[in-house]
Protein backbone atom coordinates (compact mmCIF):
# COMPACT_ATOMS: atom_id res chain seq x y z
CA UNK A 1 0.00 0.00 0.00
CA UNK A 2 1.30 3.39 -0.96
CA UNK A 3 1.30 5.90 1.90
CA UNK A 4 3.52 8.75 0.77
CA UNK A 5 0.81 11.41 1.08
CA UNK A 6 -0.02 10.36 4.63
CA UNK A 7 3.66 10.38 5.53
CA UNK A 8 4.15 13.86 4.05
CA UNK A 9 1.05 15.16 5.85
CA UNK A 10 2.23 13.72 9.15
CA UNK A 11 5.62 15.32 8.62
CA UNK A 12 3.90 18.71 8.16
CA UNK A 13 1.59 18.06 11.12
CA UNK A 14 4.49 17.27 13.45
CA UNK A 15 5.86 20.77 12.81
CA UNK A 16 2.70 22.55 13.93
CA UNK A 17 0.72 20.18 16.18
CA UNK A 18 1.92 18.34 19.30
CA UNK A 19 2.47 14.72 18.27
CA UNK A 20 1.02 15.69 14.87
CA UNK A 21 -2.60 15.15 15.92
CA UNK A 22 -5.52 16.84 17.68
CA UNK A 23 -6.45 13.84 19.83
CA UNK A 24 -3.82 11.53 21.26
CA UNK A 25 -5.16 8.13 20.19
CA UNK A 26 -4.98 9.04 16.51
CA UNK A 27 -1.18 8.87 16.67
CA UNK A 28 -1.18 5.42 18.34
CA UNK A 29 -0.49 3.91 14.92
CA UNK A 30 3.25 3.66 14.21
CA UNK A 31 5.24 4.96 12.55
CA UNK A 32 2.47 7.34 11.44
CA UNK A 33 -1.30 7.25 11.03
CA UNK A 34 -2.96 7.35 7.63
CA UNK A 35 -4.77 10.61 6.91
CA UNK A 36 -8.37 10.27 5.80
CA UNK A 37 -9.42 11.98 2.61
CA UNK A 38 -13.10 11.08 2.78
CA UNK A 39 -15.71 8.58 3.89
CA UNK A 40 -17.89 6.44 1.65
CA UNK A 41 -20.69 4.44 3.29
CA UNK A 42 -18.99 1.98 5.63
CA UNK A 43 -15.56 2.72 4.16
CA UNK A 44 -12.90 5.41 4.35
CA UNK A 45 -10.42 6.41 1.67
CA UNK A 46 -7.05 7.71 2.75
CA UNK A 47 -4.88 10.50 1.36
CA UNK A 48 -3.14 8.02 -0.97
CA UNK A 49 -6.40 6.64 -2.32
CA UNK A 50 -6.36 3.39 -0.30
CA UNK A 51 -9.81 2.14 0.68
CA UNK A 52 -10.60 0.49 4.03
CA UNK A 53 -13.65 -1.11 5.58
CA UNK A 54 -14.09 1.31 8.50
CA UNK A 55 -15.01 -0.21 11.89
CA UNK A 56 -13.73 2.86 13.76
CA UNK A 57 -16.52 5.17 12.60
CA UNK A 58 -15.16 8.29 14.21
CA UNK A 59 -14.67 6.28 17.44
CA UNK A 60 -18.41 5.93 17.88
CA UNK A 61 -20.59 8.78 16.63
CA UNK A 62 -21.40 7.54 13.11
CA UNK A 63 -24.38 5.21 13.60
CA UNK A 64 -25.41 5.66 9.97
CA UNK A 65 -21.93 5.55 8.43
CA UNK A 66 -20.28 8.23 6.34
CA UNK A 67 -23.05 9.06 3.90
CA UNK A 68 -25.84 10.85 5.68
CA UNK A 69 -29.33 9.85 4.49
CA UNK A 70 -31.04 12.57 2.44
CA UNK A 71 -33.31 13.81 5.27
CA UNK A 72 -30.31 14.15 7.64
CA UNK A 73 -28.16 15.90 5.06
CA UNK A 74 -30.97 18.31 4.12
CA UNK A 75 -31.65 19.37 7.72
CA UNK A 76 -27.93 19.80 8.48
CA UNK A 77 -27.51 21.96 5.39
CA UNK A 78 -30.61 23.99 6.23
CA UNK A 79 -29.39 24.67 9.77
CA UNK A 80 -25.92 25.65 8.52
CA UNK A 81 -27.23 27.92 5.81
CA UNK A 82 -29.61 29.83 8.10
CA UNK A 83 -26.60 31.17 10.01
CA UNK A 84 -24.64 28.75 12.10
CA UNK A 85 -25.61 29.80 15.65
CA UNK A 86 -27.11 32.62 17.70
CA UNK A 87 -26.45 32.63 21.46
CA UNK A 88 -30.23 32.53 21.85
CA UNK A 89 -32.45 29.45 22.11
CA UNK A 90 -33.85 27.72 19.01
CA UNK A 91 -36.73 25.32 18.39
CA UNK A 92 -34.49 22.46 17.29
CA UNK A 93 -32.95 22.22 20.80
CA UNK A 94 -36.42 21.64 22.24
CA UNK A 95 -37.17 19.06 19.54
CA UNK A 96 -34.08 17.00 20.30
CA UNK A 97 -34.58 17.33 24.07
CA UNK A 98 -38.17 16.07 23.71
CA UNK A 99 -36.99 13.16 21.57
CA UNK A 100 -34.43 12.01 24.16
CA UNK A 101 -36.84 12.47 27.08
CA UNK A 102 -39.45 10.42 25.23
CA UNK A 103 -37.09 7.49 24.54
CA UNK A 104 -34.71 7.24 27.51
CA UNK A 105 -36.61 6.16 30.62
CA UNK A 106 -34.45 7.91 33.24
CA UNK A 107 -34.19 11.24 31.44
CA UNK A 108 -36.80 13.83 32.45
CA UNK A 109 -34.67 16.85 31.61
CA UNK A 110 -31.54 17.27 29.55
CA UNK A 111 -28.83 19.84 28.90
CA UNK A 112 -26.78 19.77 25.72
CA UNK A 113 -23.08 20.61 25.74
CA UNK A 114 -20.30 20.21 23.19
CA UNK A 115 -18.40 17.04 24.08
CA UNK A 116 -18.55 13.95 26.20
CA UNK A 117 -15.81 15.43 28.35
CA UNK A 118 -17.93 18.48 29.05
CA UNK A 119 -20.90 16.23 29.83
CA UNK A 120 -19.06 14.17 32.45
CA UNK A 121 -17.41 17.27 33.93
CA UNK A 122 -20.81 18.94 34.35
CA UNK A 123 -22.47 15.75 35.64
CA UNK A 124 -19.80 15.38 38.32
CA UNK A 125 -20.21 19.02 39.36
CA UNK A 126 -23.99 18.57 39.46
CA UNK A 127 -23.68 15.42 41.61
CA UNK A 128 -21.38 17.21 44.03
CA UNK A 129 -23.67 20.24 44.15
CA UNK A 130 -26.77 18.10 44.64
CA UNK A 131 -25.36 15.96 47.46
CA UNK A 132 -23.00 18.46 49.06
CA UNK A 133 -20.34 15.71 48.95
CA UNK A 134 -16.89 15.54 47.36
CA UNK A 135 -15.96 12.05 46.27
CA UNK A 136 -16.67 10.27 42.99
CA UNK A 137 -16.20 6.51 42.59
CA UNK A 138 -14.99 5.49 39.12
CA UNK A 139 -13.97 2.20 37.53
CA UNK A 140 -10.24 1.59 37.08
CA UNK A 141 -9.41 2.05 33.41
CA UNK A 142 -12.81 3.60 32.68
CA UNK A 143 -12.70 6.61 30.38
CA UNK A 144 -14.90 9.65 30.86
CA UNK A 145 -13.06 12.17 28.72
CA UNK A 146 -10.10 14.45 29.34
CA UNK A 147 -11.14 15.87 32.69
CA UNK A 148 -9.52 16.31 36.11
CA UNK A 149 -11.88 14.20 38.25
CA UNK A 150 -11.63 11.06 36.16
CA UNK A 151 -8.01 11.12 34.91
CA UNK A 152 -7.11 9.21 38.04
CA UNK A 153 -5.47 5.81 38.46
CA UNK A 154 -4.40 3.63 41.37
CA UNK A 155 -6.90 2.28 43.86
CA UNK A 156 -9.20 3.44 46.64
CA UNK A 157 -6.33 3.71 49.13
CA UNK A 158 -3.91 5.36 46.76
CA UNK A 159 -5.53 7.41 43.96
CA UNK A 160 -3.12 9.36 41.76
CA UNK A 161 -3.51 11.56 38.70
CA UNK A 162 -3.05 9.55 35.49
CA UNK A 163 -1.82 12.65 33.66
CA UNK A 164 0.74 15.31 34.38
CA UNK A 165 -0.85 18.64 35.21
CA UNK A 166 -3.41 17.41 37.74
CA UNK A 167 -2.75 18.16 41.42
CA UNK A 168 -2.58 15.16 43.75
CA UNK A 169 -5.12 16.97 45.94
CA UNK A 170 -7.71 16.74 43.11
CA UNK A 171 -7.12 12.99 42.72
CA UNK A 172 -7.87 12.48 46.39
CA UNK A 173 -11.55 13.09 45.69
CA UNK A 174 -11.70 10.21 43.21
CA UNK A 175 -11.98 6.56 44.27
CA UNK A 176 -10.98 4.08 41.53
CA UNK A 177 -12.28 0.52 41.98
CA UNK A 178 -12.25 -2.50 39.64
CA UNK A 179 -15.34 -2.97 37.45
CA UNK A 180 -17.48 -6.02 38.33
CA UNK A 181 -16.03 -6.14 41.87
CA UNK A 182 -18.80 -5.80 44.45
CA UNK A 183 -16.46 -6.24 47.43
CA UNK A 184 -14.23 -3.35 46.35
CA UNK A 185 -17.30 -1.14 45.94
CA UNK A 186 -18.64 -2.13 49.36
CA UNK A 187 -15.26 -1.36 50.93
CA UNK A 188 -15.23 2.09 49.27
CA UNK A 189 -18.67 2.86 50.69
CA UNK A 190 -17.74 1.55 54.14
CA UNK A 191 -14.75 3.84 54.23
CA UNK A 192 -16.17 6.96 52.54
CA UNK A 193 -19.93 6.41 52.22
CA UNK A 194 -20.86 9.76 53.79
CA UNK A 195 -18.75 11.68 51.31
CA UNK A 196 -19.50 9.82 48.07
CA UNK A 197 -21.46 12.11 45.74
CA UNK A 198 -21.74 9.55 42.94
CA UNK A 199 -20.63 6.35 41.30
CA UNK A 200 -19.74 7.10 37.68
CA UNK A 201 -19.48 4.17 35.27
CA UNK A 202 -20.07 3.13 31.70
CA UNK A 203 -22.78 0.42 31.65
CA UNK A 204 -20.34 -1.61 29.51
CA UNK A 205 -16.67 -0.64 29.56
CA UNK A 206 -16.29 0.55 25.98
CA UNK A 207 -12.91 2.22 26.20
CA UNK A 208 -11.07 -0.71 27.70
CA UNK A 209 -11.53 -3.60 25.32
CA UNK A 210 -15.30 -3.94 25.90
CA UNK A 211 -16.04 -5.51 29.28
CA UNK A 212 -19.58 -6.70 29.91
CA UNK A 213 -21.09 -6.40 33.40
CA UNK A 214 -21.64 -9.52 35.45
CA UNK A 215 -25.27 -10.46 35.98
CA UNK A 216 -26.69 -8.26 38.75
CA UNK A 217 -23.76 -5.83 38.93
CA UNK A 218 -25.76 -2.77 37.89
CA UNK A 219 -28.61 -3.66 40.24
CA UNK A 220 -25.99 -3.85 42.99
CA UNK A 221 -24.67 -0.38 42.05
CA UNK A 222 -28.22 0.97 42.10
CA UNK A 223 -28.82 -0.45 45.59
CA UNK A 224 -25.59 0.60 47.22
CA UNK A 225 -25.83 4.16 45.90
CA UNK A 226 -29.46 4.43 47.07
CA UNK A 227 -28.53 3.08 50.48
CA UNK A 228 -25.90 5.78 50.97
CA UNK A 229 -27.70 8.70 49.35
CA UNK A 230 -25.20 8.81 46.46
CA UNK A 231 -26.10 9.26 42.82
CA UNK A 232 -25.60 6.64 40.12
CA UNK A 233 -24.31 8.19 36.90
CA UNK A 234 -24.21 6.10 33.72
CA UNK A 235 -21.75 7.41 31.18
CA UNK A 236 -23.55 6.43 27.97
CA UNK A 237 -21.37 8.51 25.68
CA UNK A 238 -20.57 5.32 23.72
CA UNK A 239 -23.54 3.10 24.56
CA UNK A 240 -26.20 5.81 24.24
CA UNK A 241 -28.38 5.14 21.15
CA UNK A 242 -26.08 2.25 20.23
CA UNK A 243 -26.69 -0.46 22.85
CA UNK A 244 -30.34 -1.12 23.62
CA UNK A 245 -31.49 0.97 20.64
CA UNK A 246 -33.21 4.28 21.37
CA UNK A 247 -33.67 3.34 25.06
CA UNK A 248 -29.87 3.06 25.48
CA UNK A 249 -27.95 0.54 27.60
CA UNK A 250 -29.92 1.43 30.74
CA UNK A 251 -33.07 0.03 29.13
CA UNK A 252 -31.22 -3.13 28.07
CA UNK A 253 -30.07 -3.70 31.65
CA UNK A 254 -33.31 -2.44 33.22
CA UNK A 255 -31.49 -0.16 35.65
CA UNK A 256 -32.43 3.48 36.16
CA UNK A 257 -29.50 5.81 36.85
CA UNK A 258 -30.00 9.24 38.44
CA UNK A 259 -27.97 10.96 35.75
CA UNK A 260 -26.80 9.91 32.30
CA UNK A 261 -24.13 11.47 30.14
CA UNK A 262 -24.42 11.31 26.37
CA UNK A 263 -22.19 12.27 23.44
CA UNK A 264 -21.13 10.75 20.15
CA UNK A 265 -24.29 9.46 18.37
CA UNK A 266 -26.66 12.06 19.87
CA UNK A 267 -24.90 14.73 17.74
CA UNK A 268 -25.12 12.77 14.48
CA UNK A 269 -21.39 13.19 13.78
CA UNK A 270 -21.02 16.78 15.02
CA UNK A 271 -19.45 17.87 18.35
CA UNK A 272 -21.84 17.10 21.19
CA UNK A 273 -22.40 16.03 24.76
CA UNK A 274 -25.42 16.03 27.06
CA UNK A 275 -26.38 15.44 30.67
CA UNK A 276 -29.83 14.03 31.39
CA UNK A 277 -31.67 12.75 34.43
CA UNK A 278 -34.29 13.23 37.08
CA UNK A 279 -35.87 16.67 36.89
CA UNK A 280 -35.28 17.35 40.55
CA UNK A 281 -31.52 16.80 40.13
CA UNK A 282 -31.23 18.46 36.71
CA UNK A 283 -32.87 21.60 38.11
CA UNK A 284 -29.64 22.07 40.03
CA UNK A 285 -28.01 23.55 36.91
CA UNK A 286 -28.02 27.32 36.50
CA UNK A 287 -30.18 29.26 35.90
CA UNK A 288 -32.72 26.99 37.63
CA UNK A 289 -30.27 26.03 40.40
CA UNK A 290 -26.87 27.02 41.69
CA UNK A 291 -24.50 24.59 39.92
CA UNK A 292 -22.89 26.72 37.24
CA UNK A 293 -23.08 25.38 33.71
CA UNK A 294 -22.82 27.28 30.41
CA UNK A 295 -21.43 27.08 26.87
CA UNK A 296 -21.23 29.37 23.85
CA UNK A 297 -21.81 26.51 21.42
CA UNK A 298 -24.15 24.41 23.57
CA UNK A 299 -27.23 23.25 21.69
CA UNK A 300 -25.61 24.27 18.40
CA UNK A 301 -28.34 24.23 15.72
CA UNK A 302 -26.31 22.23 13.18
CA UNK A 303 -25.48 19.57 15.78
CA UNK A 304 -29.07 19.48 17.04
CA UNK A 305 -30.37 19.00 13.49
CA UNK A 306 -27.86 16.23 12.79
CA UNK A 307 -28.65 14.48 16.09
CA UNK A 308 -32.41 14.75 15.78
CA UNK A 309 -32.57 13.60 12.16
CA UNK A 310 -30.17 10.72 12.83
CA UNK A 311 -32.28 9.46 15.73
CA UNK A 312 -35.53 10.00 13.81
CA UNK A 313 -34.06 8.05 10.91
CA UNK A 314 -33.12 5.26 13.32
CA UNK A 315 -36.64 5.27 14.76
CA UNK A 316 -38.27 5.04 11.33
CA UNK A 317 -35.94 2.51 9.67
CA UNK A 318 -34.41 -0.88 10.43
CA UNK A 319 -31.17 0.72 11.67
CA UNK A 320 -30.79 -1.22 14.94
CA UNK A 321 -31.84 -4.54 13.38
CA UNK A 322 -29.25 -4.00 10.66
CA UNK A 323 -26.29 -2.94 12.83
CA UNK A 324 -27.02 -5.45 15.61
CA UNK A 325 -27.52 -8.25 13.07
CA UNK A 326 -24.16 -7.56 11.41
CA UNK A 327 -22.56 -7.16 14.85
CA UNK A 328 -23.88 -10.59 15.79
CA UNK A 329 -22.52 -12.15 12.59
CA UNK A 330 -19.13 -10.57 13.17
CA UNK A 331 -18.94 -11.77 16.77
CA UNK A 332 -20.11 -15.30 15.86
CA UNK A 333 -17.64 -15.47 12.96
CA UNK A 334 -14.82 -14.18 15.15
CA UNK A 335 -15.70 -16.68 17.89
CA UNK A 336 -15.36 -19.54 15.38
CA UNK A 337 -12.10 -18.20 13.97
CA UNK A 338 -10.62 -17.70 17.43
CA UNK A 339 -11.66 -21.22 18.48
CA UNK A 340 -9.70 -22.59 15.50
CA UNK A 341 -6.70 -20.32 15.45
CA UNK A 342 -6.33 -18.52 18.77
CA UNK A 343 -8.36 -20.27 21.46
CA UNK A 344 -6.93 -18.03 24.17
CA UNK A 345 -8.52 -14.93 22.68
CA UNK A 346 -11.84 -13.55 23.91
CA UNK A 347 -14.46 -12.14 21.57
CA UNK A 348 -16.36 -9.32 23.26
CA UNK A 349 -19.13 -6.88 22.49
CA UNK A 350 -22.87 -6.63 22.11
CA UNK A 351 -25.34 -4.96 19.75
CA UNK A 352 -23.15 -3.08 17.25
CA UNK A 353 -19.90 -3.13 19.28
CA UNK A 354 -17.15 -5.76 18.86
CA UNK A 355 -13.56 -6.53 19.75
CA UNK A 356 -11.21 -9.48 20.02
CA UNK A 357 -9.15 -9.26 23.22
CA UNK A 358 -5.80 -11.05 23.01
CA UNK A 359 -6.15 -12.72 26.39
CA UNK A 360 -3.15 -14.86 27.30
CA UNK A 361 -4.81 -17.71 29.19
CA UNK A 362 -7.79 -19.69 28.06
CA UNK A 363 -9.53 -23.02 28.02
CA UNK A 364 -8.54 -25.92 25.78
CA UNK A 365 -10.15 -25.70 22.31
CA UNK A 366 -12.05 -28.95 23.00
CA UNK A 367 -14.05 -27.28 25.76
CA UNK A 368 -15.09 -24.26 23.70
CA UNK A 369 -18.35 -25.60 22.37
CA UNK A 370 -20.38 -24.27 25.28
CA UNK A 371 -18.85 -20.78 25.22
CA UNK A 372 -20.80 -17.54 24.75
CA UNK A 373 -21.52 -17.68 20.99
CA UNK A 374 -21.50 -13.99 20.11
CA UNK A 375 -19.42 -12.07 22.62
CA UNK A 376 -18.50 -12.61 26.28
CA UNK A 377 -21.46 -12.27 28.67
CA UNK A 378 -19.55 -13.14 31.87
CA UNK A 379 -21.61 -16.31 32.03
CA UNK A 380 -20.43 -18.46 34.96
CA UNK A 381 -21.27 -21.64 33.00
CA UNK A 382 -19.06 -20.64 30.02
CA UNK A 383 -15.75 -22.58 29.84
CA UNK A 384 -14.08 -19.23 29.34
CA UNK A 385 -15.52 -17.66 32.49
CA UNK A 386 -12.41 -17.95 34.68
CA UNK A 387 -10.29 -16.33 31.96
CA UNK A 388 -12.65 -13.72 30.54
CA UNK A 389 -11.58 -10.12 31.12
CA UNK A 390 -13.80 -8.76 33.93
CA UNK A 391 -12.13 -5.43 34.52
CA UNK A 392 -9.53 -3.09 33.07
CA UNK A 393 -6.55 -4.87 34.67
CA UNK A 394 -7.52 -8.10 32.92
CA UNK A 395 -7.64 -6.33 29.55
CA UNK A 396 -4.33 -4.62 30.20
CA UNK A 397 -2.75 -8.00 30.91
CA UNK A 398 -3.71 -9.18 27.42
CA UNK A 399 -1.15 -9.17 24.61
CA UNK A 400 -1.67 -5.50 23.82
CA UNK A 401 1.67 -5.08 22.02
CA UNK A 402 0.94 -7.89 19.58
CA UNK A 403 -2.46 -6.33 18.93
CA UNK A 404 -1.03 -2.92 18.10
CA UNK A 405 2.37 -3.67 16.57
CA UNK A 406 1.61 -6.78 14.54
CA UNK A 407 -2.10 -7.46 14.19
CA UNK A 408 -3.39 -3.94 13.48
CA UNK A 409 -0.98 -3.51 10.54
CA UNK A 410 -1.86 -6.91 9.08
CA UNK A 411 -5.53 -5.92 9.08
CA UNK A 412 -4.74 -2.55 7.54
CA UNK A 413 -2.73 -4.19 4.77
CA UNK A 414 -5.87 -6.20 3.94
CA UNK A 415 -7.98 -3.04 3.79
CA UNK A 416 -9.63 -3.26 7.21
CA UNK A 417 -9.45 -0.26 9.56
CA UNK A 418 -9.69 -1.28 13.21
CA UNK A 419 -9.43 1.02 16.23
CA UNK A 420 -5.93 2.19 17.02
CA UNK A 421 -5.18 -0.04 19.99
CA UNK A 422 -6.41 -2.98 22.04
CA UNK A 423 -8.55 -0.74 24.24
CA UNK A 424 -10.89 1.26 21.98
CA UNK A 425 -13.87 -0.68 20.72
CA UNK A 426 -15.11 -1.10 17.14
CA UNK A 427 -18.52 -0.31 15.72
CA UNK A 428 -20.93 -1.35 12.98
CA UNK A 429 -22.89 1.27 11.03
CA UNK A 430 -26.07 1.18 8.97
CA UNK A 431 -23.90 1.60 5.86
CA UNK A 432 -21.97 -1.64 6.42
CA UNK A 433 -22.92 -4.68 4.37
CA UNK A 434 -22.69 -8.44 4.64
CA UNK A 435 -19.83 -8.28 2.14
CA UNK A 436 -17.93 -5.98 4.53
CA UNK A 437 -18.44 -8.55 7.29
CA UNK A 438 -17.23 -11.44 5.12
CA UNK A 439 -14.19 -9.51 3.93
CA UNK A 440 -13.34 -8.60 7.51
CA UNK A 441 -13.70 -12.17 8.79
CA UNK A 442 -11.38 -13.37 5.98
CA UNK A 443 -8.85 -10.73 7.03
CA UNK A 444 -9.01 -11.86 10.67
CA UNK A 445 -8.44 -15.44 9.48
CA UNK A 446 -5.21 -14.32 7.83
CA UNK A 447 -4.05 -12.07 10.65
CA UNK A 448 -4.87 -14.08 13.78
C1 LIG B 1 -15.65 9.40 24.08
C2 LIG B 1 -16.04 9.29 25.51
C3 LIG B 1 -16.04 10.39 26.37
C4 LIG B 1 -15.48 11.72 25.95
O1 LIG B 1 -16.20 12.30 24.93
P1 LIG B 1 -15.49 13.45 24.04
O2 LIG B 1 -16.57 13.92 23.14
O3 LIG B 1 -14.34 12.80 23.35
O4 LIG B 1 -15.03 14.50 24.99
C5 LIG B 1 -16.56 10.25 27.63
N1 LIG B 1 -17.04 9.07 28.06
C6 LIG B 1 -17.03 7.98 27.28
C7 LIG B 1 -17.60 6.71 27.79
C8 LIG B 1 -16.52 8.05 25.99
O5 LIG B 1 -16.47 6.96 25.23
Amino acid sequence: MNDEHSRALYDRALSVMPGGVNSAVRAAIEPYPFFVQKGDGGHVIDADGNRYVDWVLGLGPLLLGHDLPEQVRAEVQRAASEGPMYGAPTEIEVDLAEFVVRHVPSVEKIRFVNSGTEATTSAVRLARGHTGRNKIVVMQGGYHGAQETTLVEGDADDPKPSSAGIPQSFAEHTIPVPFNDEDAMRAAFEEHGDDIAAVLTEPILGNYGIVYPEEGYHEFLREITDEHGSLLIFDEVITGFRVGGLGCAQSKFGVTPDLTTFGKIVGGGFPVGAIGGKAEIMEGFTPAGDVFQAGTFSGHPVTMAAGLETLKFAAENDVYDHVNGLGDRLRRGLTDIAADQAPNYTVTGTDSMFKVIFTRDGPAPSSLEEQCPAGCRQDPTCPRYDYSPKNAADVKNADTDRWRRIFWGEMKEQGVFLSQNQFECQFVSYAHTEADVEETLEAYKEAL
Side-chain angles (χ1 to χ4, degrees):
M1 254 177 200
N2 189 354
D3 59 9
E4 60 189 79
H5 284 90
S6 284
R7 188 172 61 234
L9 284 170
Y10 194 56
D11 192 5
R12 278 174 58 199
L14 281 171
S15 301
V16 286
M17 291 151 67
V21 287
N22 280 308
S23 189
V25 74
R26 295 175 201 171
I29 295 160
E30 293 178 21
Y32 44 84
F34 64 77
F35 279 58
V36 174
Q37 190 202 343
K38 62 174 180 180
D40 177 18
H43 296 208
V44 286
I45 293 145
D46 76 12
D48 292 280
N50 303 306
R51 173 182 280 270
Y52 308 91
V53 185
D54 176 17
W55 303 109
V56 176
L57 289 168
L59 291 162
L62 303 179
L63 178 62
L64 305 179
H66 293 283
D67 297 323
L68 300 179
E70 188 45 44
Q71 78 188 62
V72 184
R73 184 194 310 259
E75 285 306 302
V76 166
Q77 287 176 341
R78 188 190 51 74
S81 70
E82 286 173 355
M85 47 82 74
Y86 313 99
T90 56
E91 182 171 352
I92 189 99
E93 298 166 64
V94 188
D95 293 339
L96 183 55
E98 286 174 349
F99 187 100
V100 176
V101 167
R102 202 158 58 239
H103 287 90
V104 186
S106 71
V107 176
E108 296 169 4
K109 294 205 167 174
I110 188 164
R111 173 152 300 175
F112 290 105
V113 294
N114 306 291
S115 68
T117 298
E118 219 185 303
T120 62
T121 306
S122 300
V124 162
R125 189 180 309 130
L126 183 61
R128 287 175 167 149
H130 181 79
T131 58
R133 300 173 176 184
N134 292 315
K135 296 199 189 300
I136 305 291
V137 182
V138 299
M139 303 300 161
Q140 288 166 355
Y143 183 67
H144 305 287
Q147 63 127 320
E148 269 58 8
T149 296
T150 59
L151 287 176
V152 172
E153 61 190 18
D155 57 29
D157 297 328
D158 186 22
K160 331 180 241 295
S162 63
S163 160
I166 299 176
Q168 174 62 31
S169 58
F170 287 21
E172 279 157 17
H173 293 303
T174 300
I175 306 175
V177 299
F179 191 64
N180 276 330
D181 186 336
E182 298 191 6
D183 290 341
M185 186 64 75
R186 275 195 208 96
F189 271 92
E190 262 159 42
E191 176 93 16
H192 303 287
D194 294 349
D195 199 25
I196 294 175
V199 171
L200 169 61
T201 184
E202 286 185 89
I204 298 167
L205 295 191
N207 287 282
Y208 229 87
I210 310 184
V211 180
Y212 206 76
E214 298 227 33
E215 176 89 41
Y217 185 62
H218 289 319
E219 288 85 346
F220 161 76
L221 294 181
R222 181 64 282 178
E223 276 166 30
I224 198 164
T225 46
D226 277 344
E227 228 169 84
H228 289 84
S230 310
L231 302 187
L232 177 61
I233 309 175
F234 272 0
D235 182 353
E236 294 226 41
V237 171
I238 282 187
T239 54
F241 306 105
R242 181 169 290 285
V243 173
L246 294 173
C248 306
Q250 54 196 262
S251 72
K252 185 181 178 94
F253 292 116
V255 169
T256 307
D258 299 294
L259 293 175
T260 304
T261 51
F262 300 97
K264 299 192 171 128
I265 288 175
V266 80
F270 291 81
V272 79
I275 312 96
K278 290 190 180 131
E280 176 226 340
I281 303 172
M282 289 296 296
E283 291 284 332
F285 278 139
T286 52
D290 56 5
V291 176
F292 186 75
Q293 208 294 315
T296 300
F297 291 107
S298 294
H300 195 286
V302 178
T303 299
M304 296 293 103
L308 179 64
E309 292 305 323
T310 296
L311 295 181
K312 273 167 61 182
F313 185 88
E316 290 158 9
N317 295 276
D318 61 343
V319 171
Y320 291 111
D321 285 347
H322 182 89
V323 297
N324 296 348
L326 291 187
D328 194 65
R329 285 198 46 180
L330 270 167
R331 288 186 300 272
R332 282 174 193 276
L334 292 171
T335 302
D336 290 344
I337 294 167
D340 280 350
Q341 298 180 217
N344 284 350
Y345 292 0
T346 310
V347 177
T348 61
T350 181
D351 297 60
S352 58
M353 295 164 64
F354 72 100
K355 193 84 181 175
V356 180
I357 300 181
F358 286 16
T359 28
R360 293 174 195 269
D361 302 312
S366 58
S367 71
L368 288 175
E369 269 158 37
E370 306 289 312
Q371 68 173 325
C372 297
C376 172
R377 292 289 172 276
Q378 313 292 4
D379 174 359
T381 68
C382 174
R384 225 173 246 298
Y385 180 72
D386 289 341
Y387 309 91
S388 68
K390 295 182 184 61
N391 55 47
D394 293 344
V395 177
K396 203 172 179 182
N397 287 336
D399 198 350
T400 55
D401 280 340
R402 178 168 192 273
W403 202 101
R404 182 172 68 93
R405 293 178 182 276
I406 306 289
F407 167 75
W408 187 90
E410 289 184 9
M411 294 297 284
K412 181 206 174 236
E413 282 305 307
Q414 297 179 83
V416 178
F417 181 27
L418 298 182
S419 55
Q420 290 92 335
N421 58 39
Q422 170 77 94
F423 303 111
E424 318 277 338
C425 62
Q426 291 142 190
F427 304 98
V428 182
S429 78
Y430 193 56
H432 283 113
T433 63
E434 300 202 351
D436 295 328
V437 169
E438 294 313 319
E439 185 183 334
T440 299
L441 290 175
E442 286 306 313
Y444 270 95
K445 255 185 221 165
E446 287 295 314
L448 279 186

